[in-house]
């Protein structure tokens, strides 16, 4: 496989972009080598600068649930672009998107659109602190909620991949307000409440964790968490930036019987363009300016292109209801990968929720929290990553990411992936 153009681009990028990337998860620090530069993508495939074709399991880290460049989404965008790119005023499609989200997610009585999941997390915290007049928050080791200061503590894949537990540049005084619990352990949350009674504004959680690799909640984890939060006068913030509209048409928390006080959205609801949203009860959301005292703003918040792409994507998902098929595709890939690891005699624990999954390489123990995830063999994962790439399969360059399957990944593509895994792993045994 020829990578000459990518290498030339990398040599230029490394001079001008810190670490040659605009987001650290794109770097190949954990797997070694110079990252490929991508030119274009279509359906389940991406093509690099040298025109090599790969089956893509990054899917833009989640938004591309319909595959890349879905014709209806592209047509909607082209149509919208002709109408102007932004007006600094509210549009009909923003109302339509908020209504559609509200029809699918019960707790979303009000929706504020922002431009990233990071902003959604930042705003959700500010709202929770204003609503409760408390300042501490509880998050989970391995969960990522964007890169705002308060949330950049033990924050999952990016840091886990690079071995950075907590970010530089976050004042210790601020980090001290963020307490870290163990995912899937209500007891660990209980202990934190006991040490800070009456001071906790919110528990923030990924209802299905996907930023330490995929780690689903054990049964009762979420309901018990919600009960505990409410007993203690704290809000439950569900970060569904990945999971909303990925696992069902709506919120996976609600599908599991939990109604969050605030929910963070992003990724799929922007159809591939920058987006985020915080939504929740009218009581809490109406604290936002201009109705209330909690300030939040954005020049391009709810911009017509992101909104139109997201709206079209959600409409397609609603019309086609692909979730059973996505789950079947996930199960098919899980089975294929399981066989491939078994026939190579390499231990792996495969966690899956619908169309997102992670093979934790080199461990056969259950992966229910970040410590479990960290027990995987990241060196062997790195070799797996490169062996797959050589066979035309694009994985995220980290053990601690999800593989994302889209509706464009047909059985043939999935079976080809499994066959590639079998041959890749045979060489690593
Ligand atoms: C991607 C992600 C975010 C951050 O969204 P950005 O748009 O990258 O800022 C927040 N939470 C979760 C769970 C995510 O996966």
């Amino acid at each position: 496989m020829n990578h000459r153009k990518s290498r030339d681009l990398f040599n230029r990028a490394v001079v001008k972009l810190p670490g040659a990337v605009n987001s650290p998860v794109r770097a190949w620090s954990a797997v070694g080598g110079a990252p490929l530069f991508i030119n274009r993508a279509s359906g389940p495939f991406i093509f690099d600068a040298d025109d090599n074709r790969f089956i893509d399991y990054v899917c833009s880290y989640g938004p591309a649930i319909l595959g890349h460049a879905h014709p209806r989404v592209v047509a909607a965008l082209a149509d919208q672009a002709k109408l102007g790119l932004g007006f600094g005023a509210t549009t009909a499609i923003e109302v339509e998107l908020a209504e559609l989200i509200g029809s699918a997610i019960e707790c979303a009585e009000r929706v504020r659109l922002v431009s990233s999941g990071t902003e959604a997390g930042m705003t959700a915290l500010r709202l929770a602190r204003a609503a409760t007049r408390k300042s501490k928050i509880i998050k989970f080791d391995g969960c990522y909620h964007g890169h705002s200061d308060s949330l950049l503590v033990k924050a999952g894949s990016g840091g886990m991949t690079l071995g950075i537990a907590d970010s530089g540049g976050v004042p210790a005084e601020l980090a001290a307000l963020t307490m870290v619990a163990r995912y899937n352990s209500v007891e660990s949350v209980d202990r934190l409440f006991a040490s800070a009674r009456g001071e906790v504004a919110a528990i923030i959680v990924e209802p299905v964790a996907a930023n330490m690799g995929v780690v689903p909640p054990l049964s009762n984890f979420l309901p018990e968490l919600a009960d505990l939060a409410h007993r203690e006068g704290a809000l439950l913030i569900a970060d569904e930036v990945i999971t909303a509209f990925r696992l069902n048409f709506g919120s996976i928390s609600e599908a599991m019987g939990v109604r969050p006080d605030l929910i963070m959205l992003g990724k799929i609801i922007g159809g591939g363009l920058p987006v985020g949203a915080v939504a929740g009860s009218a009581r809490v959301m109406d604290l936002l300016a201009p109705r209330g005292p909690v300030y939040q703003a954005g020049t391009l918040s709810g911009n017509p292109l992101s909104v139109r792409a997201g709206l079209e994507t959600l409409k397609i998902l609603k019309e086609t209801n692909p979730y059973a098929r996505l789950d079947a595709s996930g199960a098919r890939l899980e089975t294929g990968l399981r066989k491939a690891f078994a026939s190579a005699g390499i231990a792996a624990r495969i966690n899956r929720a619908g169309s997102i999954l992670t093979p934790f390489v080199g461990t056969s123990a259950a992966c229910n929290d970040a410590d479990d995830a960290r027990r995987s063999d990241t060196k062997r994962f790195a070799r797996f990553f490169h062996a797959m790439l050589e066979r035309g399969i694009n994985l995220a360059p980290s053990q601690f990411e999800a593989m994302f399957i889209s509706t464009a990944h047909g059985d043939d593509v999935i079976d080809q992936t499994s066959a590639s895994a079998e041959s890749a792993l045979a060489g690593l045994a």
Side-chain angles (χ1 to χ4, degrees):
M1 204 176 278
N2 181 5
H3 294 162
R4 193 179 54 78
K5 286 187 178 151
S6 277
R7 212 155 294 138
D8 291 348
L9 285 165
F10 178 74
N11 289 336
R12 281 169 57 200
V14 89
V15 176
K16 277 292 168 205
L17 314 180
V21 291
N22 278 315
S23 185
V25 299
R26 298 173 195 169
W28 284 16
S29 327
V31 295
L36 297 182
F37 282 64
I38 304 303
N39 259 0
R40 62 193 170 94
S42 174
F45 303 113
I46 60 165
F47 300 81
D48 70 9
D50 295 282
D51 219 30
N52 300 304
R53 190 185 87 167
F54 303 89
I55 299 173
D56 184 31
Y57 288 96
V58 178
C59 287
S60 196
Y61 285 96
I65 191 169
L66 301 173
H68 292 286
H70 189 286
R72 268 182 64 183
V73 178
V74 172
L77 269 174
D79 180 53
Q80 190 64 47
K82 288 185 207 125
L83 302 174
L85 304 182
F87 320 114
T90 308
T91 56
I93 52 177
E94 288 168 71
V95 184
E96 201 185 335
L97 181 59
E99 285 170 349
L100 185 55
I101 290 170
S103 73
I105 300 179
E106 217 173 280
C107 71
E109 293 172 8
R110 303 257 201 278
V111 181
R112 168 70 53 98
L113 292 176
V114 293
S115 294
S116 66
T118 292
E119 287 172 77
M122 192 175 71
T123 304
L125 280 198
R126 192 175 298 146
L127 275 170
R129 284 169 164 160
T132 60
R133 298 173 191 271
K134 298 172 183 178
S135 55
K136 294 195 171 166
I137 58 155
I138 294 176
K139 78 176 287 293
F140 294 91
D141 185 6
C143 282
Y144 179 66
H145 308 293
H147 60 94
S148 69
D149 284 347
S150 296
L151 290 168
L152 215 49
V153 179
K154 300 236 190 296
S157 57
M160 278 166 87
T161 305
L162 300 172
I164 301 172
D166 308 319
S167 171
V170 176
E173 293 85 347
L174 194 56
L177 298 177
T178 302
M179 301 189 290
V180 180
R182 178 185 288 270
Y183 197 77
N184 272 322
S185 166
V186 178
E187 293 72 46
S188 72
V189 179
D190 230 346
R191 278 197 296 277
L192 292 178
F193 273 116
S195 73
R197 194 123 276 145
E199 297 177 73
V200 178
I203 302 176
I204 183 167
V205 65
E206 289 182 74
V208 172
N211 283 291
M212 50 177 133
V214 173
V215 177
L218 298 174
S219 61
N220 290 334
F221 175 59
L222 294 175
E224 286 178 15
L225 210 55
D227 287 349
L228 186 54
H230 295 150
R231 259 204 319 278
E232 298 283 350
L235 303 192
L236 181 72
I237 304 173
D239 181 351
E240 298 221 24
V241 169
I242 282 186
T243 52
F245 301 100
R246 161 61 61 182
L247 302 176
N248 61 337
F249 192 78
S251 147
I252 194 63
S253 309
E254 290 188 351
M256 291 176 173
V258 170
R259 185 183 166 116
D261 300 290
L262 288 171
I263 186 166
M264 291 157 59
L265 306 170
K267 298 198 167 112
I268 287 172
I269 67 157
L273 270 67
V275 86
V278 54
S281 68
R283 182 182 70 84
V284 178
M285 292 296 293
D286 285 348
L287 292 171
L288 279 176
R291 279 197 82 159
V294 176
Y295 197 72
Q296 187 283 327
T299 303
L300 293 176
S301 289
N303 77 79
L305 291 182
S306 294
V307 169
R308 187 71 186 273
L311 195 53
E312 194 66 18
T313 300
L314 293 192
K315 282 180 181 170
I316 295 168
L317 290 171
K318 188 171 183 182
E319 281 165 32
T320 57
N321 190 18
Y323 296 99
R325 189 155 50 87
L326 282 166
D327 182 55
S329 299
R332 192 179 183 96
L333 182 58
E334 179 186 348
T335 304
L337 290 176
R338 207 177 283 293
K339 277 190 195 141
F341 278 101
S343 66
I346 297 175
R349 184 79 183 197
I350 301 178
N351 280 4
R352 180 176 72 85
S355 56
I356 53 176
L357 65 95
T358 298
F360 293 96
V361 176
T363 177
S364 47
C367 275
N368 292 326
D369 59 44
D371 283 335
D372 292 343
R374 279 188 283 259
R375 273 194 276 278
S376 36
D377 182 347
T378 53
K379 293 215 171 64
R380 192 169 255 178
F381 173 84
R383 292 170 63 210
F384 177 57
F385 167 87
H386 283 289
M388 289 296 270
L389 199 73
E390 276 165 32
R391 289 163 179 80
I393 313 291
N394 185 52
L395 307 178
S398 166
Q399 170 68 82
F400 306 112
E401 299 285 0
M403 290 174 76
F404 291 92
I405 300 168
S406 80
T407 56
H409 289 68
D411 286 352
D412 51 340
V413 159
I414 287 180
D415 292 347
Q416 199 182 322
T417 308
S418 300
S420 299
E422 186 150 350
S423 115
L425 290 165
L428 305 187

